[in-house]
Amino acid sequence: MSTVEIDLENWSCPLPLRDYPRVVLGHGGGGQLSAELIENIFLPAFRNAELLTLADSTVLNVPPGRLAFSTDSYVVNPLFFPGGSIGELAVHGTVNDLAMSGARPLYLSAAFILEEGLEIKLLAAIVERMARAAREANVHIVTGDTKVVEKGKADGCFITTAGIGILPEGPFPAPFRAQPGDIVLVSGTLGDHGMTIMSVREGLDFQTTLETDSAPLYDLVAAMMRVSTEIHVLRDPTRGGAASSLNEIAAASKVGIQLEETAVPVRPQVSAACELLGMDPIYVANEGKLIAIVAPQDAAAVLAVMKAHPLGKNSAKIGQITSQHPGMVVAKTSIGATRILPMQIGEQLPRIC
Amino acid sequence: MSTVEIDLENWSCPLPLRDYPRVVLGHGGGGQLSAELIENIFLPAFRNAELLTLADSTVLNVPPGRLAFSTDSYVVNPLFFPGGSIGELAVHGTVNDLAMSGARPLYLSAAFILEEGLEIKLLAAIVERMARAAREANVHIVTGDTKVVEKGKADGCFITTAGIGILPEGPFPAPFRAQPGDIVLVSGTLGDHGMTIMSVREGLDFQTTLETDSAPLYDLVAAMMRVSTEIHVLRDPTRGGAASSLNEIAAASKVGIQLEETAVPVRPQVSAACELLGMDPIYVANEGKLIAIVAPQDAAAVLAVMKAHPLGKNSAKIGQITSQHPGMVVAKTSIGATRILPMQIGEQLPRIC
């Protein structure tokens, strides 16, 4: 059913892994099998000077300044999907969390919880995609861990990454800094990642034209910060989508947010898939988009920079911050009505990331 | 069967969690239910200034210097056991990895992967124990994440922590720094943690007298570093036990290690449990012990400091580094014979941490 090309057939293990085609409990035991997994799978992919010390912890030279620190676990199902895999998500998700504080991502840790029986080739493919994503995002994966649990006690592969970034002097974007009058910008179409996963799971035809938007956002953020020191809030709308991110910002900043629903960019195929499944793209997860809340005098310049960046081609102004209805997000609909976009209660799409 | 006192009956949730007695998928959805879990379980326990920003990443002021960075996933089964729980392990394991580079642990991240159906009270008890362990270890848990997977796709609760520590100037302990002539010290009895878990699982009587040794080791390391600048290697012998740690050191430093088996401290009940189960305490996991490899002229002073510390009362000199048989660990047995202690191949005790 999947249209994903994993090309496992042509992958070959750099060194033979004692002929284990699948993960066994011993790969998490800290003994010889663990060492072979590290030497044959992790080191060749992640190779960097810091990782090579193989100590309990890795010692890093970090430029002086404030640090940003973030972590996320990734449990996406399925492990591979159009345009990406859990490997890219595990890198992009965490570097983006750092970038949303305005921090330049430097280092990642990577901890794997593997289910006994996972194909070694599948693990290797995930690790190779992580390594490529890390190179593209300019971060080093410098420390890690592998645990193996019995068959049926996990679901293939869970990955937890933590990231360290470095922050320039001065005020940094934070959820509580939105002010009445600020402009709400979005860096592109909403809902692509969530509907991609959903389409693969449901076996919908949309899967042939839908792709995850998973991407590392720091380069875009850096370009934006070069033209404005008044970017008050940055947020990547992952789980719960843009609506949940905006609700969090409205609550943290004690302001109202007014959206123009017709201004929100959504791909036609995402729109169609959402309609079919009874979902609202503004609540669907993204993995390569950001929301920026910017002082009004800087909004045009920031938007222009966003549109000029490959990851921001479809950027748009979608609303503004108001002093009315603090804590609430309201949208003006295409027919001129006003609707409240509440914080989602539970889970629209489980295991989306 | 368990003799652990969890006292869940007297625990009460600071604020009602919408009457959900168990974790549901929505608790990982990034919406209102996720927010309630954070507000009612995580924030009251971990409360600190950094965590309260609730941003995608947390901004930290770190003193200048080199950083140590480490991560581990914890999948121990059962979640509670005599003397501890997955909560203490998730703190101690990671702060100890930092301490083994000589770094002072400062900050932790905590990422939870929860199985749908986990009792909220159980999660709260784990989180309270993590919080207490963090206070005792002088670290702040400053950022986190929660994912929920469907029932049967995980095993109750997995926790991944990553830690940041700060390192003083000068050379730091590392696995490749052992030199012929150095002395091998251990900070106490070996095998306590592993045999505790094993006894609970097997329902052995030893469980009444066995307890995990899980403890944070930085304070002990700091005391040792005050009397010696020639601590060449520090290692906490967790999975695979002291034998695996020593094999890694022998390989990394290209030296031989010679142990006096009779000098290795082992509790009688650990010894008895090992005999019953056909195990060797030198291969069994510890969570509150360290191995130190120290220049000969400093060994006596370091050992004295270790013995004077509450976590090092049973410290002992157990061997020395030699230029013979590089890469190998050999032990002189009680009857004067010599045996090789090879690197363990796979897993002696799965899911010990």
Side-chain angles (χ1 to χ4, degrees), chain A residues 174-177 247-255 327, chain B residues 53:
Chain A
F176 55 82
R177 290 190 59 217
N247 267 285
E248 282 171 26
I249 295 166
S253 294
K254 301 182 178 66
V255 296
Chain B
T53 62

Side-chain angles (χ1 to χ4, degrees), chain A residues 191-261:
Chain A
D192 297 22
H193 176 73
M195 293 323 292
T196 301
I197 300 292
M198 208 58 191
S199 299
V200 175
R201 282 202 211 140
E202 305 285 323
L204 300 184
D205 273 348
F206 303 101
Q207 67 175 279
T208 51
T209 52
L210 274 179
E211 252 196 11
T212 179
D213 59 346
S214 187
L217 293 170
Y218 176 71
D219 192 62
L220 172 61
V221 168
M224 294 162 65
M225 294 195 338
R226 277 194 288 273
V227 298
S228 172
T229 57
E230 295 288 337
I231 299 171
H232 293 155
V233 186
L234 289 172
R235 198 93 187 191
D236 60 331
T238 54
R239 284 180 292 177
S244 298
S245 294
L246 291 169
N247 267 285
E248 282 171 26
I249 295 166
S253 294
K254 301 182 178 66
V255 296
I257 299 181
Q258 207 153 30
L259 291 191
E260 293 291 333
E261 210 168 84

Side-chain angles (χ1 to χ4, degrees), chain B residues 282-305:
Chain B
I282 210 160
Y283 283 92
V284 175
N286 312 274
E287 293 291 336
K289 298 290 160 36
L290 61 80
I291 289 170
I293 295 182
V294 183
Q297 69 275 16
D298 285 8
V302 172
L303 182 59
V305 160

Side-chain angles (χ1 to χ4, degrees), chain A residues 40-189:
Chain A
N40 298 323
I41 303 280
F42 296 118
L43 283 188
F46 297 153
R47 189 167 292 276
N48 57 63
E50 297 91 349
L51 186 62
L52 287 175
T53 61
L54 290 179
D56 284 328
S57 57
T58 301
V59 175
L60 306 171
N61 283 303
V62 174
R66 293 165 304 175
L67 292 185
F69 187 32
S70 187
T71 192
D72 265 317
S73 288
Y74 299 86
V75 298
V76 66
N77 171 30
L79 294 172
F80 290 82
F81 42 82
S85 75
I86 190 172
E88 288 95 338
L89 284 192
V91 171
H92 296 157
T94 298
V95 299
N96 289 350
D97 281 346
L98 296 172
M100 295 307 115
S101 295
R104 179 160 63 91
L106 297 175
Y107 299 111
L108 290 185
S109 63
F112 294 80
I113 298 174
L114 307 177
E115 184 187 11
E116 183 187 17
L118 177 73
E119 271 193 273
I120 294 275
K121 282 187 172 187
L122 212 60
L123 174 64
I126 291 167
V127 167
E128 282 189 358
R129 281 158 173 256
M130 276 188 88
R132 196 195 315 146
R135 280 193 300 275
E136 286 168 9
N138 256 313
V139 291
H140 285 184
I141 296 172
V142 293
T143 189
D145 182 47
T146 307
K147 295 290 190 306
V148 181
V149 297
E150 305 88 336
K151 198 161 177 59
K153 299 296 183 185
D155 194 15
C157 173
F158 301 147
I159 304 177
T160 302
T161 50
I164 295 178
I166 189 92
L167 209 69
E169 290 295 303
F172 55 88
F176 55 82
R177 290 190 59 217
Q179 291 170 26
D182 284 356
I183 303 300
V184 182
L185 306 174
V186 65
S187 69
T189 54

